[in-house]
Amino acid sequence: MILRALDRYVLGSWVRIFVLTSLGFPVVSIMINLTDNLNKLLDRGLTMQQIAVSYVYSIPENMFIVMPAAVLFATVFTVGGMGRYSELTAAKASGQSFHRLMLPVFVAAAFATALAFMVGEMAPGATAKEQELQKSRAARPTRSRFNFVYRGDQGWVYTIRSLDVTNRQLKQIMFERQGDGAEYPAMVITADSASWDTTRQTWRVRQGSSRLIAGSASRSAGDWVNALRRMVRNAKVACLPGPAISRLDP
């Protein structure tokens, strides 16, 4: 679409009102929230710089909330202003249809919709960071995890009681694989712990046992070390780098 002078005028008017609304309303909301909660934040030991930075992270959420209204305001005030000063009448008198005149507004609204989705994707992470900076919730631990389940390749499901990323250790782990009969039986492997062997670049699983389940019958694996090596050679454990578990200690 080639932008004529009239298209640039309509688009410029729309963008100015949209930007002013999208940024102005979040700023007003932040000022109201800051006025209500300033004493609480200062009681938590936050400095003014920390408070200011934390409220910067609240802008994406406030922008995402106000963007639909910003599109509405920009459209209404753009068209209303042109009608007030008889610009719509002048455009129609020159042979310009109303729909063609509003085409830049439709295109800008489509871009605003895509922008709203992008801001919406940023909002949860930014809000979580804001809450951490304001000490309204504890920071999520990044060096350890507890009681989580991870689904890997080839139907394997890993249940892990605790993960220590610093020491690269797992505690109370269970591996489960869904089977489809005697030819490919289900398998359940449990172990007390596992640690990363930096020399061999493999996982060492200790004090474990396994069970093969084929239909209604089940049997204990005679050599669970060889079975584990064979069945989980390509397995991957969540959150820890490295290849599959390949070294096992009874």
Side-chain angles (χ1 to χ4, degrees):
M1 181 180 67
I2 300 177
L3 292 179
R4 301 172 298 180
L6 186 57
D7 293 331
R8 291 194 296 269
Y9 172 74
V10 173
L11 183 61
S13 300
W14 190 95
V15 169
R16 283 195 298 270
I17 299 174
F18 174 78
V19 172
L20 179 63
T21 307
S22 299
L23 296 179
F25 275 84
V27 170
V28 172
S29 176
I30 289 173
M31 295 302 296
I32 295 174
N33 187 278
L34 178 61
T35 302
D36 293 337
N37 299 312
L38 180 59
N39 291 332
K40 295 180 181 178
L41 297 175
L42 292 176
D43 291 340
R44 294 173 185 168
L46 298 177
T47 63
M48 294 302 298
Q49 181 180 0
Q50 291 174 326
I51 294 174
V53 172
S54 68
Y55 275 107
V56 170
Y57 284 100
S58 69
I59 292 178
E61 181 181 9
N62 288 297
M63 286 186 61
F64 177 72
I65 293 174
V66 81
M67 270 188 175
V71 173
L72 176 62
F73 290 163
T75 304
V76 170
F77 285 109
T78 298
V79 177
M82 295 180 67
R84 184 181 308 110
Y85 297 105
S86 300
E87 293 171 332
L88 292 178
T89 303
K92 291 180 180 179
S94 65
Q96 181 76 48
S97 68
F98 178 78
H99 294 89
R100 176 61 183 83
L101 185 64
M102 291 295 103
L103 182 59
V105 174
F106 296 145
V107 175
F111 278 104
T113 302
L115 179 63
F117 279 108
M118 294 174 59
V119 173
E121 291 295 323
M122 297 168 52
T127 302
K129 184 64 175 180
E130 175 200 6
Q131 293 177 350
E132 292 179 6
L133 291 175
Q134 294 181 356
K135 300 181 180 180
S136 57
R137 78 170 192 180
R140 180 178 177 180
T142 58
R143 310 304 298 175
S144 61
R145 290 185 62 185
F146 301 94
N147 299 322
F148 65 96
V149 178
Y150 174 75
R151 179 176 293 276
D153 299 332
Q154 301 178 355
W156 283 97
V157 177
Y158 312 108
T159 303
I160 301 174
R161 182 65 177 273
S162 67
L163 162 66
D164 186 346
V165 179
T166 303
N167 298 321
R168 296 189 176 187
Q169 291 183 349
L170 304 173
K171 299 292 185 181
Q172 298 183 17
I173 58 179
M174 180 172 66
F175 305 150
E176 299 177 86
R177 188 201 65 186
Q178 186 71 28
D180 56 7
E183 296 298 327
Y184 190 74
M187 189 173 190
V188 179
I189 301 171
T190 59
D192 179 72
S193 63
S195 60
W196 178 253
D197 190 336
T198 56
T199 303
R200 296 176 177 269
Q201 295 296 302
T202 57
W203 288 101
R204 297 170 62 96
V205 180
R206 297 180 175 83
Q207 297 181 2
S209 62
S210 67
R211 181 170 294 274
L212 296 175
I213 304 174
S216 59
S218 64
R219 63 182 179 85
S220 297
D223 187 357
W224 85 274
V225 173
N226 293 331
L228 185 55
R229 284 174 175 167
R230 183 177 62 255
M231 303 304 292
V232 301
R233 183 174 295 113
N234 296 322
K236 297 178 181 178
V237 177
C239 301
L240 284 180
I245 297 172
S246 61
R247 182 169 181 83
L248 314 157
D249 294 334

